[in-house]
Amino acid sequence: MGGSPAATRVVSAAPGSVISATPDRSACRLLKQVQVREVLGVPVGLATPGAPGGCVFTINAGAGTVGVGVTSFAADAQAQAFVSGNSQAPDGCQCRILKIPGLGQDAVEFVGNTVGTTVYAQFGLKVLTVGIGWSPAAENPGMAVALARDAARHL
């Protein structure tokens, strides 16, 4: 993808705590368009660079998005804290948090009530994030887990 070096960003790991993390610019190599299309069962666009450290696939002419990202942390405890911090539902959210066995050192899936689902998985100092912003994904949270397992093979 080229460009300037990855900037350090501040990421909230848990309420009241802040850690420093560096986005990994290689996220667009983790999933192929065909993999995303097969898991979702609908057409998706080509991968395009998204937020720092991220890559985005557009679902079915703008119906939603699939985002994949990798963030590197300075210490294992910071990566753990980031995953742990994302395993707490905000007040008032009718969300589900599911532990994912067999994916990295620790992995959780945050399933929204209507808008989609996100997987956070720790691999040493890196955290893989796969999010689907598309209402059918909220009804079938296995989609994000399948994509996270596919992406993890290329970390």
Side-chain angles (χ1 to χ4, degrees), residues 64-82:
T65 59
V66 173
V68 60
V70 177
T71 304
S72 297
F73 293 85
D76 186 68
Q78 292 176 330
Q80 286 175 338
F82 182 73

Side-chain angles (χ1 to χ4, degrees), residues 4-153:
S4 61
T8 299
R9 66 179 171 161
V10 176
V11 180
S12 177
S17 67
V18 177
I19 55 179
S20 177
T22 303
D24 185 324
R25 296 261 181 219
S26 60
C28 282
R29 69 173 176 74
L30 298 178
L31 290 172
K32 303 268 188 250
Q33 180 185 25
V34 67
Q35 291 172 294
V36 178
R37 184 183 69 231
E38 286 174 359
V39 169
L40 274 63
V42 296
V44 297
L46 293 171
T48 57
C55 191
V56 177
F57 296 87
T58 300
I59 300 170
N60 206 18
T65 59
V66 173
V68 60
V70 177
T71 304
S72 297
F73 293 85
D76 186 68
Q78 292 176 330
Q80 286 175 338
F82 182 73
V83 172
S84 177
N86 283 295
S87 63
Q88 307 297 318
D91 289 341
C93 182
Q94 297 175 7
C95 306
R96 293 175 287 150
I97 309 295
L98 310 169
K99 292 290 275 179
I100 305 168
L103 180 62
Q105 292 162 256
D106 186 22
V108 296
E109 182 174 28
F110 185 96
V111 183
N113 51 345
T114 59
V115 282
T117 181
T118 303
V119 170
Y120 302 93
Q122 180 191 359
F123 295 86
L125 299 176
K126 294 184 179 199
V127 173
L128 168 67
T129 305
V130 176
I132 304 175
W134 184 50
S135 57
E139 299 164 15
N140 186 359
M143 291 176 173
V145 174
L147 290 174
R149 290 189 190 284
D150 286 347
R153 291 186 190 106

